[in-house]
Amino acid sequence: MSEWYKQDLAFIHDVGFGDWALKSASGILEILNRSQIPEGLIVELGCGSGLSAQEFTKAHYKVLGIDISQSMIEIARTRVPDAEFRVESLFKVEIPPCNAVISLSECLNYLFDPDNNSQTLVQLFYRIYNALTPGGVFIFDIAEPGQVTPGSPSKNFTEGEDWVVLVDKEENPESKILTRRIITFRKVGEHYRRDDEVHRQQLYKAADVTAKLRQVGFEVETTQSYGQFHLPKAHIAFIAYKPA
Ligand SMILES: C[S@@+](CC[C@H](N)C(=O)[O-])C[C@H]1O[C@@H](n2cnc3c(N)ncnc32)[C@H](O)[C@@H]1O
């Protein structure tokens, strides 16, 4: 379970790519508030390094965070000792009875777990529906097709004080699979250590996901933003209610 978001990429994601989790948190808390969920258990699927979990615990929710990356969970446990974290695949984990399930930053798209496909996605929706208390809410976002202009793979880099990450993205328009080749360099002592990862994501169309959620029994709203945080292009968020 440790081929992705290994030590260096987990560190870099935490220090350099925390905006999605941090800037979404207040918008998510507003949704919970207007859904009359002022307290209780949030299960966070793909919780990463615990940035949003920390905001939820500050707002007095209990949090159970699940992530397939051991390195992400190690950071999360240090950051949020009051929450519980488990290294597991969200496609297999037993989801306990809870008031909300949250999954931020396209976690459901990743093909790290080879069992992720459109059938297991529906099974996941059923498992979440059954775990939620009546009136509970499932809030998550996905990446849609259109991440990369067809025929023109994108290459870019991001740098921090003691690290740099290079990303090459390619999207297959037929299979709707996005492949990100990621190279990290992180300063360790006097030298930079290189590591490589390949992340594959299945891209889903919003209308297909909405239909699957409705099939399961959810009442569904979609949005382009969590509060003040606007999702990047070709992303959409779902607020799916289990009827009270
Ligand atoms: C882009 S990161 C987002 C992390 C966090 N939600 C945030 O916003 O900072 C995607 C996360 O999904 C996790 N992930 C991907 N597939 C997973 C799976 N099958 N089960 C659990 N976690 C998974 C990755 O390990 C990674 O931490």
Side-chain angles (χ1 to χ4, degrees):
M1 282 209 175
S2 52
E3 289 170 62
W4 308 284
Y5 288 101
K6 290 176 284 179
Q7 190 183 5
D8 289 349
L9 187 57
F11 168 82
I12 290 169
H13 191 277
D14 183 61
V15 298
F17 296 86
D19 271 9
W20 198 312
L22 285 173
K23 293 189 176 165
S24 304
S26 62
I28 303 276
L29 290 169
E30 274 168 33
I31 298 169
L32 295 177
N33 198 29
R34 69 167 188 261
S35 312
Q36 291 166 359
I37 306 174
E39 59 185 6
L41 176 64
I42 295 176
V43 175
E44 195 177 351
L45 302 176
C47 60
S49 57
L51 292 163
S52 38
Q54 184 170 43
E55 300 306 307
F56 303 144
T57 52
K58 277 189 204 158
H60 307 296
Y61 292 93
K62 286 188 190 160
V63 177
L64 168 62
I66 308 296
D67 203 285
I68 204 165
S69 157
Q70 175 81 40
S71 297
M72 284 288 210
I73 290 291
E74 278 166 16
I75 303 173
R77 283 187 178 135
T78 307
R79 169 167 290 124
V80 204
D82 289 343
E84 187 189 341
F85 294 99
R86 290 191 209 149
V87 181
E88 252 183 284
S89 172
L90 61 93
F91 291 99
K92 302 199 175 77
V93 71
E94 192 180 318
I95 302 169
C98 57
N99 304 84
V101 174
I102 293 172
S103 186
L104 301 177
S105 191
E106 53 185 46
C107 303
L108 305 191
N109 294 102
Y110 284 91
L111 294 171
F112 296 166
D113 183 333
D115 287 341
N116 181 4
N117 57 46
S118 58
Q119 242 181 333
T120 42
L121 190 66
V122 177
Q123 285 164 10
L124 173 68
F125 292 170
Y126 274 110
R127 284 166 41 230
I128 291 170
Y129 188 90
N130 291 334
L132 282 171
T133 49
V137 65
F138 173 30
I139 305 167
F140 68 104
D141 53 77
I142 54 150
E144 293 192 278
Q147 300 296 314
V148 179
T149 312
S152 59
S154 89
K155 290 180 196 285
N156 61 53
F157 73 91
T158 310
E159 61 186 322
E161 207 176 296
D162 52 2
W163 55 268
V164 59
V165 58
L166 318 169
V167 183
D168 169 315
K169 287 196 273 186
E170 198 167 0
E171 180 173 336
N172 182 320
E174 272 114 61
S175 62
K176 300 188 178 56
I177 289 181
L178 178 75
T179 304
R180 286 193 187 119
R181 198 162 68 85
I182 301 170
I183 302 172
T184 57
F185 290 93
R186 183 178 171 199
K187 198 164 188 204
V188 181
E190 286 184 15
H191 302 287
Y192 277 82
R193 176 168 71 197
R194 173 179 170 157
D195 204 2
D196 293 59
E197 299 197 12
V198 176
H199 295 182
R200 290 170 66 247
Q201 289 187 324
Q202 181 67 60
L203 305 171
Y204 295 109
K205 288 189 182 158
D208 295 342
V209 175
T210 300
K212 286 179 173 45
L213 288 164
R214 292 208 170 117
Q215 170 194 336
V216 167
F218 283 109
E219 291 166 1
V220 185
E221 289 171 18
T222 56
T223 173
Q224 301 288 342
S225 59
Y226 295 121
Q228 301 297 308
F229 177 72
H230 293 276
L231 299 175
K233 87 162 190 175
H235 284 79
I236 185 146
F238 297 83
I239 306 168
Y241 292 97
K242 174 168 175 169

